[in-house]
C-alpha cells in the first residue's frame, strides 16, 4: 500500500502535466485559426491577381499580333529590297568587269577569276529569268572573251616559262642513277611555284567552268616541243664537247662523273671517235628520255585532269619517242647495209645500244603505263629489230670467215698473221663485253623448246658454240689459204703464226673460258697444231743437215791418203751444206714470226740441231786434207752458223 505522502506527490505531478497539455492544445487551436485566416487571405489575393492577368492578356495579345505583322511586313520589305539590289547588280556586272576583262588576267589572275565568276552568275541569272534581255548577250560576250583570255594566258605562261633542260643538268640527272646517292643540288623545276599555281588555277577553271579541253592540246604541244628540244640539245652537246672517250663531262658535279649509262666506252675495230660519240650520245639520249618523261608526267598530273592525263602524256612524248626510235632504226639500217658489204665492225654499234635498251626497258615500261599499245610497242619493236639484225650479222660473219676467198695477192709474203685472223679475233673479243646481249641475239633466233626457257646459262652455251663455230671456220679457211704458198716451210710458218695468234688472243682476252664451255680441249688442240707446224718447218732444214749427216760419209784411216772420189764427196758435202744454209737463211730471213717467245724458241731449236750436226761434221773433216783450198769449203765456223740462224725471221737484221 502506497504511503499517503507519496500519493499526494504523484497526484500533483499528474495535475501539473495535465495543465501543460491543456496549454499546448490551446496554443495549437490558436495557430490553426490564424492559419485558416491566412489561407483565406491568400486565396483572395490570388483570385484578384488572376482577374488582373486575364484583363492584361486581353489587352496585350492584340498588340502583340499587330507588332508581329508589322515585323513580317518589315522583313518582306527588306528581302524585296535585297532581291532588287541583287537583280540590279547583274545589270551592272558588264560595266563593272568589262575593263578588267579587256585588259586580261596577266599579273592579276585572282581578281580576273573573281570577275569571271560574277559574269558567269550574271549569265546564269539572265538565262533563267530574262533570256531575251540584251544584257544576256553582253555578259555572254564578256564571258567568252574572258575565257579566250584565260586560254591565251595559259598558252602564254606555258610558252614563256617552258624552258629546254640544259644538257649539263640532264647528264647530272642520269649520273644520279649510278651514284650511291643522287646529288642534292640536282633538281628539275620545269615551272616556278608561282607560275605553276597560276597554270593549275586556269586549268581547273577551264575544265570546270569553261567547258574547254583545247588547252590540253596546247599543253602537250608546248611540253612536247620542250622535251624533244631538250633531248636534241643533249645530242648536240655531245657533238660539240665530247671528250676523247666520247663522253662529255658535266662541270656541275666535278670528279663524280661516270661513263653512264654505258659504263666504259668500248673501242671498236676500224671505227672512229665520231662513231663512238654518236653511240654514246644515243645511249645517253635514251636515258634522258626516261628521266625527262618521268618528270613530265609528274608535272602533267598537277595540271591536266586525271581522266585526260594518260592520253595527254601519250601525245606529249610522241615526237621525242619517235625521234629516238627513228634514230635507232637508222642505226639498224646502217648495220644491215654494212653486213651486205661484209663490214661486220659496223654491227658492233648495235651491241652497246641494244644492251642499254634492254637494261632501260623496265623503266620505259613503267613510264609508258597507260599509253596506247602502239606507243608501248615501239621500244620492244626496236629491240626485236636490233636482235634480228645482230643475229644475222653474227651468222653472216661466221659464214664469211668460212668462205673468205683464197686470194694470192692478199696473202702475207712473210707468212705472218693474216688479216682475216686478226679481224675475226678482234670481232670475237668485242663480244666479251656484250656476252648476254650477243647470247640473247642468238637465242632470239632459236625455235627449239630449249630456247623458250631462255636463261643466262643457255645464252652462254649458245655464244660459246658460236665462237667455236667461227674459230672452226677460221681454221679451215687458214688451211685452205696456206696452200697458196708453194714452200711447205712458209706454209708451216703461216699456220704456226695464225694458230699461235689465235691461242694467245683467246688466253689474253679470256675468250678461252667461253670457248671451254662447250669445247674443253680447245687450248690443248691449238698447242698441238702449233707444235705440229714447228715440226713441219724444221723439216725444211733436212736438205741442209742431210749433207753433213753421217750416212754415206767415207770411212778413212788417220794418215791414209784420201782417194779422189772421197775428196770429191767431202767437197760436195761442204758445198751442199754451205749453199743450203745460205739459201735458207736468205729466204727465211724475210719470213716473220711476230711472237718473240715463239721466234726465240724456234731459232734456238734450229740452232741446236744444226750446231750439233755441223759441229760433229767439222770435227771430223776440218783437219782432213781433202782440198788445197780449205777456206773455199770450210766457209763458216759453228758460231757463225748459229749467228746466221739467229737472224732468221728478222727483216730488220
Amino acid at each position: 500500500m502506497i504511503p499517503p505522502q507519496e500519493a499526494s506527490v504523484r497526484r500533483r505531478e499528474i495535475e501539473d502535466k495535465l495543465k501543460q497539455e491543456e496549454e499546448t492544445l490551446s496554443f495549437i487551436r490558436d495557430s490553426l485559426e490564424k492559419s485558416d485566416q491566412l489561407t483565406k487571405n491568400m486565396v483572395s489575393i490570388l483570385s484578384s491577381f488572376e482577374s488582373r492577368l486575364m484583363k492584361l492578356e486581353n489587352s496585350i495579345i492584340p498588340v502583340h499580333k499587330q507588332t508581329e505583322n508589322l515585323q513580317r511586313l518589315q522583313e518582306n520589305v527588306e528581302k524585296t529590297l535585297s532581291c532588287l539590289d541583287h537583280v540590279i547588280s547583274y545589270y551592272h556586272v558588264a560595266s563593272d568587269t568589262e575593263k578588267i576583262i579587256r585588259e586580261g588576267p596577266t599579273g592579276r589572275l585572282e581578281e580576273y577569276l573573281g570577275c569571271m565568276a560574277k559574269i558567269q552568275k550574271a549569265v546564269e541569272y539572265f538565262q533563267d529569268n530574262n533570256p531575251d534581255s540584251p544584257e544576256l548577250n553582253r555578259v555572254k560576250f564578256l564571258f567568252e572573251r574572258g575565257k579566250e583570255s584565260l586560254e591565251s594566258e595559259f598558252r602564254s605562261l606555258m610558252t614563256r616559262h617552258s624552258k629546254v633542260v640544259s644538257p649539263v643538268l640532264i647528264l647530272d640527272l642520269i649520273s644520279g642513277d649510278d651514284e650511291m646517292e643522287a646529288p642534292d643540288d640536282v633538281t628539275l623545276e620545269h615551272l616556278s611555284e608561282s607560275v605553276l599555281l597560276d597554270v593549275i588555277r586556269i586549268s581547273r577553271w577551264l575544265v570546270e567552268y569553261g567547258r574547254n579541253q583545247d588547252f590540253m592540246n596546247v599543253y602537250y604541244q608546248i611540253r612536247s616541243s620542250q622535251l624533244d628540244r631538250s633531248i636534241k640539245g643533249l645530242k648536240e652537246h655531245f657533238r660539240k664537247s665530247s671528250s676523247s672517250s666520247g663522253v662529255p663531262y658535266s662541270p656541275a658535279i666535278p670528279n663524280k662523273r661516270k661513263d653512264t649509262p654505258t659504263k666504259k666506252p668500248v673501242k671498236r675495230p676500224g671505227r672512229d671517235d665520231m662513231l663512238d660519240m654518236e653511240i654514246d650520245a644515243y645511249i645517253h639520249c635514251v636515258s634522258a628520255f626516261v628521266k625527262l618523261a618521268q618528270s613530265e608526267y609528274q608535272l602533267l598530273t598537277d595540271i591536266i585532269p586525271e581522266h585526260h592525263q594518260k592520253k595527254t602524256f601519250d601525245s606529249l612524248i610522241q615526237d621525242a619517242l619517235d625521234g629516238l626510235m627513228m634514230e635507232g632504226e637508222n642505226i639498224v639500217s646502217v648495220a644491215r647495209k654494212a653486213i651486205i658489204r661484209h663490214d661486220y665492225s659496223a654491227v658492233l654499234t648495235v651491241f652497246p645500244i641494244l644492251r642499254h635498251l634492254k637494261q632501260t626497258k623496265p623503266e620505259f615500261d613503267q613510264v609508258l603505263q597507260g599509253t596506247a599499245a602502239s606507243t608501248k610497242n615501239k621500244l620492244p619493236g626496236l629491240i626485236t629489230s636490233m636482235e634480228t639484225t645482230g643475229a644475222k650479222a653474227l651468222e653472216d660473219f661466221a659464214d664469211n670467215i668460212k668462205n673468205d676467198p683464197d686470194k694470192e695477192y692478199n696473202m702475207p709474203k712473210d707468212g705472218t698473221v693474216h688479216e682475216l685472223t686478226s679481224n675475226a679475233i678482234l670481232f670475237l673479243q668485242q663480244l666479251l663485253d656484250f656476252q648476254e646481249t650477243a647470247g640473247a641475239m642468238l637465242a632470239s633466233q632459236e625455235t627449239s623448246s630449249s630456247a623458250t626457257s631462255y636463261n643466262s646459262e643457255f645464252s652462254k652455251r649458245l655464244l660459246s658454240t658460236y665462237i667455236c663455230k667461227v674459230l672452226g671456220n677460221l681454221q679451215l679457211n687458214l688451211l685452205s689459204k696456206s696452200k697458196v704458198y708453194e714452200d711447205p716451210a712458209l706454209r708451216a710458218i703461216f699456220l704456226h703464226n695464225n694458230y699461235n695468234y689465235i691461242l694467245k688472243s683467246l688466253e689474253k682476252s679470256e675468250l678461252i673460258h667461253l670457248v671451254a664451255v662447250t669445247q674443253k680441249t680447245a687450248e690443248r688442240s691449238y698447242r698441238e697444231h702449233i707444235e705440229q707446224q714447228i715440226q713441219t718447218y724444221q723439216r725444211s732444214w733436212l736438205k741442209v743437215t742431210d749433207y753433213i749427216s753421217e750416212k754415206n760419209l767415207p770411212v778413212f784411216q788417220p794418215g791414209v791418203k784420201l782417194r779422189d772420189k772421197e775428196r770429191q764427196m767431202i767437197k760436195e758435202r761442204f758445198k751442199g751444206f754451205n749453199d743450203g744454209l745460205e739459201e735458207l737463211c736468205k729466204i727465211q730471213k724475210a719470213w716473220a714470226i711476230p711472237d718473240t717467245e715463239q721466234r726465240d724458241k724456234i731459232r734456238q731449236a734450229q740452232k741446236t740441231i744444226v750446231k750439233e750436226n755441223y759441229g760433229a761434221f767439222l770435227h771430223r773433216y776440218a783437219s782432213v786434207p781433202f782440198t788445197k783450198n780449205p777456206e773455199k769449203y770450210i766457209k763458216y765456223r759453228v758460231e757463225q752458223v748459229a749467228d746466221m740462224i739467229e737472224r732468221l725471221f728478222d727483216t730488220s737484221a
Side-chain angles (χ1 to χ4, degrees):
M1 187 171 178
I2 301 173
Q5 190 177 357
E6 287 184 11
S8 175
V9 171
R10 178 82 175 265
R11 188 172 54 251
R12 280 198 305 272
E13 288 177 354
I14 292 170
E15 287 175 353
D16 290 339
K17 189 173 182 181
L18 181 61
K19 186 177 179 180
Q20 288 177 357
E21 291 292 337
E22 286 175 351
E23 289 177 354
T24 300
L25 182 60
S26 175
F27 175 75
I28 290 171
R29 282 185 185 135
D30 291 340
S31 296
L32 285 172
E33 288 176 359
K34 289 179 180 179
S35 178
D36 288 341
Q37 187 61 42
L38 287 171
T39 299
K40 289 178 182 178
N41 291 338
M42 181 60 70
V43 169
S44 174
I45 291 170
L46 288 172
S47 297
S48 174
F49 184 69
E50 182 179 8
S51 174
R52 290 178 180 180
L53 276 177
M54 288 180 66
K55 290 179 181 179
L56 181 61
E57 183 178 355
N58 291 333
S59 300
I60 289 299
I61 284 175
V63 174
H64 173 73
K65 287 181 178 180
Q66 187 177 3
T67 302
E68 189 178 51
N69 290 334
L70 288 172
Q71 287 177 340
R72 188 178 297 112
L73 287 172
Q74 184 180 359
E75 287 174 2
N76 288 339
V77 169
E78 289 175 353
K79 285 180 179 180
T80 301
L81 290 173
S82 176
C83 287
L84 286 172
D85 289 340
H86 183 67
V87 169
I88 292 170
S89 70
Y90 289 130
Y91 286 88
H92 293 290
V93 164
S95 57
D96 291 346
T97 61
E98 186 173 12
K99 182 175 183 294
I100 295 174
I101 297 301
R102 185 175 62 251
E103 292 174 353
T106 304
R108 53 176 176 185
L109 182 62
E110 187 73 28
E111 181 184 9
Y112 197 87
L113 291 177
C115 289
M116 289 300 292
K118 292 178 182 177
I119 294 170
Q120 184 179 3
K121 288 179 180 178
V123 170
E124 292 171 354
Y125 170 79
F126 289 120
Q127 283 178 336
D128 292 340
N129 299 282
N130 195 358
D132 297 328
S133 168
E135 285 297 325
L136 174 60
N137 293 330
R138 189 178 179 192
V139 291
K140 283 179 71 175
F141 172 78
L142 280 178
F143 183 83
E144 290 301 320
R145 183 171 181 177
K147 185 171 75 170
E148 290 173 2
S149 294
L150 286 171
E151 292 170 358
S152 177
E153 179 70 3
F154 182 89
R155 179 188 293 274
S156 176
L157 287 172
M158 292 301 304
T159 302
R160 291 201 318 269
H161 298 281
S162 289
K163 306 297 183 184
V164 172
V165 183
S166 73
V168 169
L169 182 54
I170 294 175
L171 287 171
D172 290 339
L173 285 170
I174 297 172
S175 72
D177 289 343
D178 287 343
E179 300 291 343
M180 292 299 291
E181 295 181 1
D184 294 334
D185 56 342
V186 179
T187 56
L188 189 58
E189 184 181 69
H190 294 293
L191 301 174
S192 67
E193 186 176 355
S194 61
V195 172
L196 179 60
L197 289 174
D198 284 352
V199 169
I200 291 172
R201 292 202 65 185
I202 295 174
S203 165
R204 290 177 179 171
W205 188 93
L206 290 172
V207 172
E208 187 173 354
Y209 303 109
R211 304 291 188 269
N212 180 286
Q213 296 182 5
D214 291 342
F215 77 94
M216 299 181 200
N217 296 332
V218 171
Y219 177 86
Y220 91 69
Q221 289 167 1
I222 293 172
R223 297 306 302 172
S224 174
S225 173
Q226 177 272 339
L227 174 61
D228 193 40
R229 288 164 60 205
S230 296
I231 293 175
K232 287 178 178 175
L234 176 63
K235 187 174 181 180
E236 187 63 27
H237 178 70
F238 270 82
R239 288 189 178 135
K240 290 182 178 179
S241 60
S242 62
S243 66
S244 59
S245 66
V247 180
Y249 293 114
S250 160
I253 310 177
N255 302 323
K256 291 185 73 177
R257 175 71 55 246
K258 293 185 177 180
D259 295 334
T260 55
T262 53
K263 314 304 180 194
K264 293 182 180 179
V266 178
K267 287 297 177 185
R268 301 163 186 89
R271 311 314 301 176
D272 55 22
D273 290 338
M274 184 59 69
L275 180 58
D276 286 338
M277 182 278 296
E278 291 288 346
I279 294 168
D280 289 325
Y282 183 74
I283 287 172
H284 279 76
C285 286
V286 169
S287 292
F289 172 82
V290 172
K291 286 290 184 185
L292 294 176
Q294 288 172 342
S295 178
E296 287 293 340
Y297 190 75
Q298 291 171 358
L299 177 67
L300 177 143
T301 54
D302 290 330
I303 299 171
I304 304 300
E306 184 176 358
H307 56 287
H308 292 284
Q309 288 172 2
K310 297 293 184 183
K311 183 179 179 182
T312 304
F313 180 69
D314 197 338
S315 300
L316 189 156
I317 62 173
Q318 285 303 314
D319 285 350
L321 182 59
D322 285 345
L324 284 177
M325 296 302 106
M326 185 179 298
E327 191 172 348
E329 288 294 349
N330 288 340
I331 291 169
V332 172
S333 178
V334 169
R336 286 180 183 141
K337 292 176 182 177
I339 293 169
I340 295 172
R341 300 192 309 269
H342 302 301
D343 176 13
Y344 299 101
S345 59
V347 80
L348 291 170
T349 59
V350 172
F351 282 84
I353 293 173
L354 176 57
R355 179 175 65 183
H356 185 64
L357 289 180
K358 294 179 81 169
Q359 289 173 345
T360 313
K361 187 175 181 298
E363 288 185 272
F364 246 98
D365 292 343
Q366 187 176 9
V367 169
L368 300 183
Q369 278 182 355
T371 57
S374 58
T375 302
K376 292 178 182 175
N377 291 334
K378 286 181 180 179
L379 180 64
L382 178 58
I383 288 175
T384 299
S385 180
M386 286 191 169
E387 282 191 330
T388 303
T389 301
K392 179 71 165 57
L394 292 175
E395 194 61 34
D396 283 11
F397 177 77
D399 291 341
N400 187 65
I401 293 296
K402 181 179 180 180
N403 301 317
D404 186 67
D406 304 329
K407 297 177 181 177
E408 186 172 350
Y409 65 83
N410 198 35
M411 293 294 288
K413 297 186 182 304
D414 58 0
T416 191
V417 177
H418 197 281
E419 184 181 13
L420 180 69
T421 302
S422 58
N423 286 345
I425 293 299
L426 203 53
F427 184 86
L428 293 180
Q429 286 173 341
Q430 301 303 314
L431 297 186
L432 276 177
D433 296 304
F434 307 101
Q435 291 184 44
E436 288 188 12
T437 305
M441 281 180 177
L442 296 169
S444 69
Q445 306 304 304
E446 289 288 318
T447 56
S448 63
S449 58
S450 58
T452 58
S453 58
Y454 163 73
N455 55 43
S456 59
E457 187 60 32
F458 177 71
S459 165
K460 195 172 186 179
R461 291 190 66 81
L462 275 179
L463 187 57
S464 175
T465 301
Y466 172 77
I467 291 174
C468 290
K469 177 182 178 181
V470 171
L471 293 175
N473 289 351
L474 177 60
Q475 187 172 336
L476 289 173
N477 199 321
L478 290 172
L479 280 170
S480 176
K481 289 183 185 302
S482 69
K483 295 174 183 177
V484 170
Y485 297 114
E486 295 180 0
D487 190 333
L490 181 55
R491 189 182 308 151
I493 290 297
F494 171 75
L495 290 175
H496 162 273
N497 284 334
N498 282 272
Y499 291 155
N500 183 66
Y501 179 83
I502 293 169
L503 178 60
K504 291 293 179 66
S505 299
L506 292 179
E507 291 174 335
K508 286 179 182 177
S509 65
E510 298 184 2
L511 268 170
I512 195 69
H513 300 307
L514 198 51
V515 169
V517 172
T518 55
Q519 200 171 100
K520 305 290 185 185
T521 61
E523 186 174 1
R524 186 180 69 191
S525 177
Y526 273 111
R527 295 194 188 283
E528 290 173 353
H529 288 317
I530 292 168
E531 189 58 37
Q532 181 183 357
Q533 298 309 319
I534 292 175
Q535 292 173 8
T536 301
Y537 162 74
Q538 288 175 341
R539 285 198 287 272
S540 69
W541 282 83
L542 289 176
K543 63 181 180 180
V544 177
T545 55
D546 275 353
Y547 282 106
I548 55 176
S549 63
E550 292 187 3
K551 63 181 181 179
N552 301 323
L553 283 174
V555 179
F556 58 90
Q557 296 296 327
V560 178
K561 186 178 180 181
L562 294 175
R563 291 176 293 181
D564 291 343
K565 182 179 180 181
E566 290 173 334
R567 286 197 299 272
Q568 186 60 34
M569 183 179 293
I570 294 172
K571 290 178 183 178
E572 289 175 356
R573 294 299 177 90
F574 269 107
K575 186 177 187 303
F577 172 80
N578 292 335
D579 292 346
L581 175 67
E582 291 168 358
E583 182 185 1
L584 278 187
C585 287
K586 180 181 179 181
I587 293 172
Q588 295 185 8
K589 178 183 176 182
W591 296 354
I593 299 179
D595 188 318
T596 305
E597 183 182 344
Q598 286 291 311
R599 184 167 66 236
D600 292 343
K601 174 184 173 182
I602 291 173
R603 283 173 176 170
Q604 187 58 45
Q606 205 56 54
K607 280 194 296 184
T608 301
I609 295 171
V610 176
K611 282 173 65 177
E612 286 180 359
N613 283 271
Y614 187 59
F617 185 74
L618 275 182
H619 180 71
R620 176 176 291 188
Y621 294 106
S623 58
V624 174
F626 66 91
T627 179
K628 293 179 181 179
N629 301 306
E631 66 278 359
K632 179 180 177 182
Y633 297 98
I634 307 175
K635 295 174 66 174
Y636 303 105
R637 300 188 307 276
V638 173
E639 291 74 17
Q640 287 178 303
V641 172
D643 288 342
M644 292 172 71
I645 296 174
E646 185 65 31
R647 289 194 292 271
L648 297 180
F649 317 117
D650 187 358
T651 55
S652 64

